Amino acid sequence: MFIVIFAVVCLACGFGWAMPVVKTAAMRAPAGETVATIGVTAGESAVAMRTTTGEIAHVAADKPRLSFAVMSDIHIYEDNEDVHRRFTAALQDYWQLNREIGLLAVNGDLTNGFPEHFTILRRLIEGTPHAPLHFTLGNHDFYRMRYNDRKEKDLRHFPNSWSNEKALQLFQRFTGYERPYHDVWLNGYHFIFMSHEKYVNSRLTHGRNGFISDAQLMWLRQKLQERQPQEQTREQKLLGTRGAGGSKRPTFVFFHHPLPNTLPGSEGEAMIWQHKELRNILEEHPEVVFFSGHTHAGLKKTKQMHANRFLMLGSSSIMRHGESVYVEVYDDYLDIHSRNHLQKEWIPERSFRYDLKHLSDNS
C-alpha cells in the first residue's frame, strides 16, 4: 500500500523514474513503471504534465547526445576537512560513473573568499580525477570582507582591507577566465555561466543577494541570441539549432542564486537584486534551462524544479547534503537525475524527464 501511495504522490509532483544510462539494465526500474514527462508551454504559468508507460530500459536505451553534472555550495574553507572529503567524493563518484561527462558545473559559493581557500580548492581538484570543471561566483566568495587579518569576523571594520574588485580578481586568477562570467559550446549545446559580482553595501543588509551588473545582463542577452560557432560537425550544420527530432536545442544557464519565489527556499527575499531584468531576459527564451544553488535545499526532501516559460532547477549543496544534479541530453528530451554522493546512489523520486518537443512551436 505504501509503495502505491508513494508512486501516486511522486507523479502528482511531476517526477518519475527515468533512470540514467550509466546504470546497468538490471538496476533500472522494472517494465511497466511510469515515467513522468514534463513540458512547458510558453505563456502558461503551470507545468503541463503527461505520463507514458513502458520499460525504462527501452525508453533511455539510446546514448545521450551529451551528459553533464551540476553541483553548488561546496564551501571549501581551511578547517572543514569533512567538506573537503565530500567535494572530492562527488568528483570521484562522477568520474567512476561516466568518464565521458561533458562538463561539471560548480555553481557558486566555492569558498569563503580567502586566497588560502582557493589554494586548498586547487589542491583538492588537482589531486582528484574529474570531468572538465566550470565555475561561477556566489555570495560567500566575497565574504573575506567580513573578516580581519586574524580571520576573525569583524563587521565593525568592514570591508577589512578587502573589496569586490579583489574578490573578482582572485576568482579570475583561480579560473583563468577573462571576466567573472563566460560561456562554452559543447556538442552543439550552449552553456552560459553567470556570476554574482558585488557584495552590495557596507551595512551588510544586501550581502546575501545576487548582484548582476548591467554589462553582464547585456552580455547574457547577446549570448542567448548567439548561434553555434562555425566549427561544427556536418550533422550539426544540417540540424542547426534543432535536434534530430525537430525540437529546438536547450540552452543551459547557470547562476548561484535562484529567481525569487520559484524553487523551495527562494521565498521571501529578493534573492537577486536585478531579478526582474533577469527574468524578463530569460522569459524571451523558452529553451533556457536555468540552474541555481544558494538555498541548500536538499534534493531528496524538496522539489527543486519550477517551470513557467522556462525550466528552473536547484542543485542542493555539497557541503550540506552531498547531493547534485546529473543531466542527460537527448534530441527531444532531457533526463534529469538527482545524485547522493555520500551513499553513491540515485534519488529515484527526484528524477524526471523534461520534454523538449514543445519548443518546436516557439521559434
Side-chain angles (χ1 to χ4, degrees), residues 169-215:
Q169 291 167 7
L170 179 60
F171 174 72
Q172 289 172 238
R173 285 199 304 271
F174 171 76
T175 59
Y177 302 154
E178 293 183 2
R179 49 191 168 187
Y181 40 93
H182 73 287
D183 71 311
V184 296
W185 285 85
L186 188 61
N187 292 4
Y189 293 90
H190 202 181
F191 292 78
I192 300 176
F193 300 91
M194 304 178 65
S195 268
H196 175 60
E197 292 179 276
K198 188 176 181 181
Y199 201 92
V200 180
N201 72 356
S202 60
R203 296 190 304 277
L204 308 181
T205 56
H206 305 330
R208 293 183 67 245
N209 297 333
F211 185 94
I212 310 171
S213 66
D214 290 342

Short mmCIF file of all heavy atoms in Angstrom, two decimals, residues 169-215:
data_model
loop_
_atom_site.label_atom_id
_atom_site.label_comp_id
_atom_site.label_asym_id
_atom_site.label_seq_id
_atom_site.Cartn_x
_atom_site.Cartn_y
_atom_site.Cartn_z
N GLN A 169 39.08 39.53 -8.85
CA GLN A 169 40.43 39.22 -9.36
C GLN A 169 40.91 37.87 -8.84
O GLN A 169 41.54 37.11 -9.59
CB GLN A 169 41.40 40.33 -8.94
CG GLN A 169 41.16 41.66 -9.65
CD GLN A 169 41.92 42.80 -9.01
OE1 GLN A 169 42.73 42.60 -8.10
NE2 GLN A 169 41.65 44.02 -9.47
N LEU A 170 40.62 37.56 -7.59
CA LEU A 170 41.03 36.28 -7.02
C LEU A 170 40.36 35.12 -7.77
O LEU A 170 41.02 34.12 -8.11
CB LEU A 170 40.65 36.24 -5.54
CG LEU A 170 40.98 34.96 -4.78
CD1 LEU A 170 42.46 34.67 -4.79
CD2 LEU A 170 40.46 35.07 -3.34
N PHE A 171 39.08 35.27 -8.04
CA PHE A 171 38.34 34.24 -8.79
C PHE A 171 38.90 34.09 -10.20
O PHE A 171 39.08 32.96 -10.69
CB PHE A 171 36.86 34.62 -8.84
CG PHE A 171 36.01 33.73 -9.71
CD1 PHE A 171 35.70 32.44 -9.30
CD2 PHE A 171 35.52 34.18 -10.92
CE1 PHE A 171 34.90 31.62 -10.10
CE2 PHE A 171 34.73 33.37 -11.73
CZ PHE A 171 34.42 32.09 -11.31
N GLN A 172 39.18 35.19 -10.86
CA GLN A 172 39.68 35.12 -12.23
C GLN A 172 41.10 34.54 -12.29
O GLN A 172 41.42 33.82 -13.24
CB GLN A 172 39.63 36.51 -12.87
CG GLN A 172 38.19 36.96 -13.17
CD GLN A 172 38.09 38.39 -13.62
OE1 GLN A 172 37.40 39.20 -13.01
NE2 GLN A 172 38.76 38.72 -14.70
N ARG A 173 41.91 34.80 -11.29
CA ARG A 173 43.23 34.15 -11.24
C ARG A 173 43.09 32.65 -11.04
O ARG A 173 43.81 31.85 -11.64
CB ARG A 173 44.07 34.75 -10.12
CG ARG A 173 44.63 36.12 -10.40
CD ARG A 173 45.81 36.45 -9.49
NE ARG A 173 45.46 36.35 -8.08
CZ ARG A 173 44.96 37.35 -7.35
NH1 ARG A 173 44.74 38.54 -7.93
NH2 ARG A 173 44.70 37.19 -6.07
N PHE A 174 42.15 32.25 -10.22
CA PHE A 174 41.93 30.83 -9.94
C PHE A 174 41.44 30.10 -11.19
O PHE A 174 41.89 29.00 -11.50
CB PHE A 174 40.93 30.68 -8.80
CG PHE A 174 40.47 29.27 -8.58
CD1 PHE A 174 41.28 28.34 -7.95
CD2 PHE A 174 39.20 28.86 -8.99
CE1 PHE A 174 40.86 27.04 -7.74
CE2 PHE A 174 38.76 27.58 -8.80
CZ PHE A 174 39.60 26.65 -8.17
N THR A 175 40.52 30.71 -11.92
CA THR A 175 39.89 30.04 -13.06
C THR A 175 40.60 30.30 -14.38
O THR A 175 40.49 29.49 -15.31
CB THR A 175 38.43 30.51 -13.21
OG1 THR A 175 38.42 31.94 -13.39
CG2 THR A 175 37.62 30.15 -11.98
N GLY A 176 41.29 31.44 -14.49
CA GLY A 176 41.86 31.82 -15.77
C GLY A 176 40.87 32.51 -16.69
O GLY A 176 41.19 32.80 -17.85
N TYR A 177 39.66 32.81 -16.19
CA TYR A 177 38.66 33.49 -17.02
C TYR A 177 39.04 34.96 -17.21
O TYR A 177 39.58 35.59 -16.31
CB TYR A 177 37.27 33.42 -16.37
CG TYR A 177 36.76 32.02 -16.09
CD1 TYR A 177 35.84 31.80 -15.07
CD2 TYR A 177 37.17 30.92 -16.84
CE1 TYR A 177 35.34 30.54 -14.80
CE2 TYR A 177 36.69 29.65 -16.58
CZ TYR A 177 35.77 29.47 -15.56
OH TYR A 177 35.29 28.21 -15.29
N GLU A 178 38.69 35.51 -18.38
CA GLU A 178 38.97 36.92 -18.65
C GLU A 178 38.08 37.85 -17.83
O GLU A 178 38.43 38.98 -17.56
CB GLU A 178 38.79 37.20 -20.14
CG GLU A 178 39.83 36.50 -21.02
CD GLU A 178 39.66 36.86 -22.48
OE1 GLU A 178 38.76 37.69 -22.78
OE2 GLU A 178 40.40 36.32 -23.31
N ARG A 179 36.89 37.37 -17.48
CA ARG A 179 35.96 38.13 -16.65
C ARG A 179 35.17 37.14 -15.81
O ARG A 179 35.28 35.92 -16.02
CB ARG A 179 35.03 38.98 -17.53
CG ARG A 179 34.37 38.24 -18.67
CD ARG A 179 33.69 39.20 -19.61
NE ARG A 179 33.28 38.56 -20.85
CZ ARG A 179 32.79 39.21 -21.88
NH1 ARG A 179 32.66 40.53 -21.82
NH2 ARG A 179 32.44 38.58 -22.98
N PRO A 180 34.36 37.58 -14.88
CA PRO A 180 33.73 36.62 -13.96
C PRO A 180 32.73 35.68 -14.62
O PRO A 180 32.43 34.62 -14.07
CB PRO A 180 33.02 37.53 -12.95
CG PRO A 180 33.71 38.84 -13.04
CD PRO A 180 34.15 38.97 -14.46
N TYR A 181 32.20 36.04 -15.76
CA TYR A 181 31.21 35.21 -16.45
C TYR A 181 31.79 34.75 -17.79
O TYR A 181 32.64 35.42 -18.38
CB TYR A 181 29.91 35.98 -16.64
CG TYR A 181 30.07 37.43 -17.02
CD1 TYR A 181 30.08 37.85 -18.34
CD2 TYR A 181 30.22 38.41 -16.03
CE1 TYR A 181 30.22 39.18 -18.68
CE2 TYR A 181 30.37 39.75 -16.36
CZ TYR A 181 30.37 40.12 -17.68
OH TYR A 181 30.53 41.44 -18.02
N HIS A 182 31.32 33.59 -18.27
CA HIS A 182 31.85 33.03 -19.51
C HIS A 182 30.83 32.06 -20.11
O HIS A 182 29.82 31.73 -19.47
CB HIS A 182 33.18 32.33 -19.25
CG HIS A 182 33.05 31.01 -18.53
ND1 HIS A 182 32.73 30.93 -17.20
CD2 HIS A 182 33.20 29.73 -18.97
CE1 HIS A 182 32.69 29.66 -16.82
NE2 HIS A 182 32.95 28.90 -17.87
N ASP A 183 31.10 31.61 -21.30
CA ASP A 183 30.23 30.62 -21.93
C ASP A 183 31.05 29.66 -22.76
O ASP A 183 32.19 29.96 -23.15
CB ASP A 183 29.16 31.29 -22.81
CG ASP A 183 29.75 31.91 -24.08
OD1 ASP A 183 30.77 32.65 -23.98
OD2 ASP A 183 29.21 31.65 -25.18
N VAL A 184 30.50 28.49 -23.02
CA VAL A 184 31.13 27.50 -23.87
C VAL A 184 30.06 26.82 -24.71
O VAL A 184 28.89 26.75 -24.32
CB VAL A 184 31.91 26.43 -23.06
CG1 VAL A 184 33.07 27.03 -22.32
CG2 VAL A 184 30.98 25.67 -22.12
N TRP A 185 30.48 26.33 -25.86
CA TRP A 185 29.65 25.46 -26.69
C TRP A 185 30.22 24.05 -26.59
O TRP A 185 31.43 23.85 -26.67
CB TRP A 185 29.67 25.92 -28.15
CG TRP A 185 28.85 27.15 -28.40
CD1 TRP A 185 29.24 28.44 -28.26
CD2 TRP A 185 27.50 27.18 -28.86
NE1 TRP A 185 28.22 29.29 -28.59
CE2 TRP A 185 27.14 28.55 -28.97
CE3 TRP A 185 26.57 26.20 -29.19
CZ2 TRP A 185 25.87 28.94 -29.40
CZ3 TRP A 185 25.30 26.59 -29.62
CH2 TRP A 185 24.96 27.95 -29.71
N LEU A 186 29.33 23.08 -26.41
CA LEU A 186 29.76 21.69 -26.28
C LEU A 186 28.80 20.80 -27.05
O LEU A 186 27.60 20.77 -26.75
CB LEU A 186 29.79 21.30 -24.79
CG LEU A 186 30.38 19.94 -24.45
CD1 LEU A 186 31.84 19.84 -24.89
CD2 LEU A 186 30.26 19.68 -22.95
N ASN A 187 29.31 20.12 -28.05
CA ASN A 187 28.49 19.22 -28.89
C ASN A 187 27.26 19.93 -29.45
O ASN A 187 26.19 19.34 -29.58
CB ASN A 187 28.06 17.99 -28.10
CG ASN A 187 29.22 17.08 -27.77
OD1 ASN A 187 30.37 17.39 -28.06
ND2 ASN A 187 28.94 15.95 -27.16
N GLY A 188 27.42 21.21 -29.77
CA GLY A 188 26.30 21.96 -30.34
C GLY A 188 25.34 22.55 -29.32
O GLY A 188 24.33 23.13 -29.71
N TYR A 189 25.65 22.43 -28.04
CA TYR A 189 24.79 22.98 -26.99
C TYR A 189 25.52 24.12 -26.28
O TYR A 189 26.72 24.04 -26.02
CB TYR A 189 24.41 21.88 -25.98
CG TYR A 189 23.52 20.82 -26.59
CD1 TYR A 189 24.07 19.69 -27.20
CD2 TYR A 189 22.13 20.94 -26.57
CE1 TYR A 189 23.26 18.72 -27.76
CE2 TYR A 189 21.31 19.98 -27.13
CZ TYR A 189 21.89 18.87 -27.73
OH TYR A 189 21.08 17.91 -28.30
N HIS A 190 24.74 25.14 -25.93
CA HIS A 190 25.31 26.36 -25.37
C HIS A 190 25.19 26.34 -23.84
O HIS A 190 24.09 26.14 -23.29
CB HIS A 190 24.58 27.58 -25.94
CG HIS A 190 25.35 28.85 -25.86
ND1 HIS A 190 24.85 30.06 -26.31
CD2 HIS A 190 26.59 29.13 -25.38
CE1 HIS A 190 25.75 31.01 -26.12
NE2 HIS A 190 26.81 30.46 -25.54
N PHE A 191 26.29 26.58 -23.15
CA PHE A 191 26.34 26.67 -21.70
C PHE A 191 26.80 28.08 -21.32
O PHE A 191 27.87 28.52 -21.74
CB PHE A 191 27.32 25.64 -21.13
CG PHE A 191 26.87 24.21 -21.29
CD1 PHE A 191 26.99 23.56 -22.50
CD2 PHE A 191 26.32 23.52 -20.21
CE1 PHE A 191 26.58 22.24 -22.66
CE2 PHE A 191 25.91 22.20 -20.36
CZ PHE A 191 26.04 21.56 -21.58
N ILE A 192 26.00 28.77 -20.53
CA ILE A 192 26.25 30.16 -20.16
C ILE A 192 26.39 30.24 -18.64
O ILE A 192 25.45 29.92 -17.90
CB ILE A 192 25.11 31.07 -20.65
CG1 ILE A 192 24.98 30.99 -22.17
CG2 ILE A 192 25.35 32.51 -20.21
CD1 ILE A 192 23.81 31.78 -22.75
N PHE A 193 27.56 30.68 -18.18
CA PHE A 193 27.88 30.70 -16.76
C PHE A 193 27.94 32.16 -16.28
O PHE A 193 28.88 32.88 -16.56
CB PHE A 193 29.22 30.01 -16.50
CG PHE A 193 29.24 28.56 -16.94
CD1 PHE A 193 29.65 28.22 -18.22
CD2 PHE A 193 28.82 27.56 -16.08
CE1 PHE A 193 29.66 26.91 -18.64
CE2 PHE A 193 28.84 26.23 -16.48
CZ PHE A 193 29.26 25.90 -17.76
N MET A 194 26.91 32.56 -15.54
CA MET A 194 26.85 33.91 -14.97
C MET A 194 27.52 33.91 -13.60
O MET A 194 27.74 32.86 -13.00
CB MET A 194 25.40 34.37 -14.87
CG MET A 194 24.63 34.33 -16.18
SD MET A 194 22.92 34.85 -15.95
CE MET A 194 23.16 36.57 -15.45
N SER A 195 27.81 35.10 -13.07
CA SER A 195 28.43 35.18 -11.75
C SER A 195 27.89 36.36 -10.95
O SER A 195 27.63 37.44 -11.51
CB SER A 195 29.96 35.31 -11.86
OG SER A 195 30.59 34.04 -11.82
N HIS A 196 27.73 36.13 -9.66
CA HIS A 196 27.49 37.19 -8.68
C HIS A 196 28.71 38.12 -8.72
O HIS A 196 29.85 37.67 -8.76
CB HIS A 196 27.34 36.53 -7.31
CG HIS A 196 27.21 37.46 -6.16
ND1 HIS A 196 26.19 38.38 -6.05
CD2 HIS A 196 27.97 37.61 -5.04
CE1 HIS A 196 26.33 39.04 -4.91
NE2 HIS A 196 27.40 38.61 -4.28
N GLU A 197 28.47 39.45 -8.69
CA GLU A 197 29.57 40.37 -8.93
C GLU A 197 29.86 41.37 -7.82
O GLU A 197 30.87 42.07 -7.88
CB GLU A 197 29.28 41.19 -10.20
CG GLU A 197 29.31 40.38 -11.48
CD GLU A 197 28.99 41.24 -12.68
OE1 GLU A 197 27.80 41.44 -12.98
OE2 GLU A 197 29.95 41.72 -13.32
N LYS A 198 29.02 41.43 -6.80
CA LYS A 198 29.22 42.53 -5.86
C LYS A 198 28.58 42.22 -4.52
O LYS A 198 27.44 41.80 -4.44
CB LYS A 198 28.60 43.81 -6.45
CG LYS A 198 28.89 45.08 -5.68
CD LYS A 198 28.30 46.28 -6.42
CE LYS A 198 28.59 47.58 -5.70
NZ LYS A 198 28.00 48.73 -6.40
N TYR A 199 29.36 42.45 -3.46
CA TYR A 199 28.84 42.44 -2.09
C TYR A 199 28.31 43.83 -1.85
O TYR A 199 29.08 44.77 -1.66
CB TYR A 199 29.97 42.08 -1.14
CG TYR A 199 29.50 41.54 0.18
CD1 TYR A 199 29.34 40.16 0.37
CD2 TYR A 199 29.21 42.39 1.23
CE1 TYR A 199 28.92 39.66 1.58
CE2 TYR A 199 28.77 41.90 2.44
CZ TYR A 199 28.62 40.53 2.62
OH TYR A 199 28.20 40.04 3.82
N VAL A 200 27.01 44.00 -1.82
CA VAL A 200 26.40 45.26 -2.20
C VAL A 200 26.75 46.45 -1.33
O VAL A 200 27.14 47.48 -1.82
CB VAL A 200 24.86 45.10 -2.28
CG1 VAL A 200 24.21 46.41 -2.68
CG2 VAL A 200 24.52 44.03 -3.29
N ASN A 201 26.66 46.37 0.01
CA ASN A 201 26.89 47.59 0.78
C ASN A 201 27.54 47.29 2.13
O ASN A 201 27.60 46.16 2.59
CB ASN A 201 25.59 48.38 0.96
CG ASN A 201 24.64 47.71 1.93
OD1 ASN A 201 24.89 46.62 2.41
ND2 ASN A 201 23.53 48.37 2.21
N SER A 202 28.04 48.31 2.74
CA SER A 202 28.80 48.16 3.98
C SER A 202 27.91 47.86 5.18
O SER A 202 28.39 47.40 6.21
CB SER A 202 29.60 49.43 4.26
OG SER A 202 28.74 50.54 4.39
N ARG A 203 26.60 48.09 5.07
CA ARG A 203 25.69 47.80 6.18
C ARG A 203 25.32 46.32 6.23
O ARG A 203 24.62 45.88 7.14
CB ARG A 203 24.43 48.66 6.07
CG ARG A 203 24.70 50.15 6.19
CD ARG A 203 23.39 50.92 6.32
NE ARG A 203 22.49 50.66 5.20
CZ ARG A 203 22.56 51.26 4.02
NH1 ARG A 203 23.52 52.16 3.79
NH2 ARG A 203 21.70 50.98 3.07
N LEU A 204 25.74 45.57 5.22
CA LEU A 204 25.53 44.12 5.17
C LEU A 204 24.07 43.72 5.04
O LEU A 204 23.71 42.57 5.26
CB LEU A 204 26.12 43.43 6.42
CG LEU A 204 27.58 43.74 6.75
CD1 LEU A 204 28.02 42.98 7.99
CD2 LEU A 204 28.48 43.41 5.59
N THR A 205 23.22 44.67 4.69
CA THR A 205 21.80 44.33 4.58
C THR A 205 21.48 43.65 3.26
O THR A 205 20.43 43.04 3.12
CB THR A 205 20.93 45.59 4.72
OG1 THR A 205 21.34 46.55 3.73
CG2 THR A 205 21.08 46.20 6.10
N HIS A 206 22.37 43.76 2.28
CA HIS A 206 22.09 43.20 0.96
C HIS A 206 23.11 42.14 0.55
O HIS A 206 23.12 41.68 -0.57
CB HIS A 206 22.10 44.30 -0.11
CG HIS A 206 21.17 45.44 0.18
ND1 HIS A 206 20.01 45.29 0.87
CD2 HIS A 206 21.24 46.76 -0.15
CE1 HIS A 206 19.39 46.46 0.97
NE2 HIS A 206 20.12 47.37 0.36
N GLY A 207 23.99 41.77 1.44
CA GLY A 207 25.13 40.97 1.03
C GLY A 207 24.81 39.58 0.51
O GLY A 207 25.53 39.04 -0.31
N ARG A 208 23.73 38.95 1.01
CA ARG A 208 23.43 37.58 0.60
C ARG A 208 22.81 37.51 -0.79
O ARG A 208 22.79 36.46 -1.42
CB ARG A 208 22.50 36.91 1.61
CG ARG A 208 23.12 36.69 2.98
CD ARG A 208 22.18 35.96 3.92
NE ARG A 208 21.94 34.58 3.45
CZ ARG A 208 20.76 34.12 3.05
NH1 ARG A 208 19.72 34.94 3.02
NH2 ARG A 208 20.62 32.88 2.66
N ASN A 209 22.23 38.59 -1.25
CA ASN A 209 21.51 38.57 -2.51
C ASN A 209 22.44 38.72 -3.70
O ASN A 209 23.47 39.36 -3.63
CB ASN A 209 20.45 39.67 -2.54
CG ASN A 209 19.38 39.47 -1.48
OD1 ASN A 209 19.13 38.34 -1.08
ND2 ASN A 209 18.79 40.55 -1.02
N GLY A 210 22.04 38.11 -4.82
CA GLY A 210 22.85 38.16 -6.02
C GLY A 210 22.86 39.53 -6.66
O GLY A 210 21.86 40.26 -6.62
N PHE A 211 23.98 39.87 -7.25
CA PHE A 211 24.11 41.16 -7.94
C PHE A 211 24.65 40.90 -9.33
O PHE A 211 25.67 40.24 -9.51
CB PHE A 211 25.04 42.10 -7.17
CG PHE A 211 25.13 43.48 -7.77
CD1 PHE A 211 24.31 44.49 -7.31
CD2 PHE A 211 26.01 43.75 -8.82
CE1 PHE A 211 24.37 45.76 -7.87
CE2 PHE A 211 26.06 45.02 -9.38
CZ PHE A 211 25.24 46.03 -8.90
N ILE A 212 23.96 41.45 -10.35
CA ILE A 212 24.34 41.28 -11.75
C ILE A 212 24.47 42.67 -12.37
O ILE A 212 23.51 43.45 -12.38
CB ILE A 212 23.30 40.47 -12.54
CG1 ILE A 212 22.93 39.18 -11.81
CG2 ILE A 212 23.80 40.15 -13.94
CD1 ILE A 212 21.75 38.44 -12.41
N SER A 213 25.63 42.98 -12.90
CA SER A 213 25.85 44.30 -13.49
C SER A 213 25.08 44.45 -14.79
O SER A 213 24.69 43.47 -15.43
CB SER A 213 27.35 44.51 -13.75
OG SER A 213 27.79 43.59 -14.76
N ASP A 214 24.90 45.70 -15.20
CA ASP A 214 24.27 45.97 -16.50
C ASP A 214 25.09 45.34 -17.63
O ASP A 214 24.53 44.85 -18.60
CB ASP A 214 24.14 47.48 -16.72
CG ASP A 214 23.12 48.12 -15.80
OD1 ASP A 214 22.27 47.39 -15.24
OD2 ASP A 214 23.16 49.36 -15.64
N ALA A 215 26.41 45.38 -17.48
CA ALA A 215 27.27 44.81 -18.52
C ALA A 215 27.04 43.31 -18.66
O ALA A 215 26.99 42.77 -19.77
CB ALA A 215 28.74 45.09 -18.20
#
